[in-house]
Amino acid sequence: MLYEAEERVPDANYMAAIAKAGADMYFIITGQRIAVTPPAAAWAPIDSEKLGRIIEMLEAAAKQAGRRWPAKKLAEVAAEVYNALGEDQGFDEPRVERILKLVVNR
């Protein structure tokens, strides 16, 4: 609260501690984000079965909601859902169905 009211300024030790914890210091200082492309080694291969199942489920959810998307839109939304699930999580079909209902109705 004191920082927001400009009654106090964080010292270098505090700034170093939050940077060490992973804070985006450039954003904190400037309010802007820098787009950083991760190195190629950081990219995990796509699980084609998982992505295919998401697409099937997305098509079904869209059809149930009375919507039909062009292939490009379907692929973009499926990729968003795939990325949101993360690489470490298993395929929890009820969870994916809940996510897809939200996505289809947004």
Side-chain angles (χ1 to χ4, degrees):
M1 183 148 188
L2 294 175
Y3 295 144
E4 289 86 0
E6 296 182 5
E7 294 177 18
R8 184 169 178 198
V9 178
D11 65 17
N13 291 332
Y14 177 77
M15 297 294 277
I18 63 172
K20 186 176 181 180
D24 181 346
M25 298 308 297
Y26 186 80
F27 178 76
I28 291 170
I29 294 168
T30 67
Q32 298 176 351
R33 299 219 183 264
I34 297 176
V36 178
T37 304
W43 291 89
I46 294 173
D47 180 339
S48 58
E49 288 182 34
K50 181 177 176 181
L51 182 59
R53 184 66 185 124
I54 291 169
I55 291 170
E56 289 172 354
M57 292 173 72
L58 181 57
E59 285 179 313
K63 185 176 181 180
Q64 187 176 8
R67 300 180 79 182
R68 183 169 166 82
W69 289 337
K72 182 177 187 279
K73 173 77 173 175
L74 183 67
E76 289 171 349
V77 173
E80 285 179 28
V81 171
Y82 180 93
N83 289 335
L85 292 173
E87 110 183 43
D88 295 332
Q89 298 174 359
F91 194 82
D92 179 1
E93 195 157 317
R95 179 173 179 250
V96 174
E97 285 177 352
R98 289 190 304 273
I99 292 169
L100 293 177
K101 284 179 184 175
L102 293 171
V103 168
V104 167
N105 294 311
R106 68 176 167 179

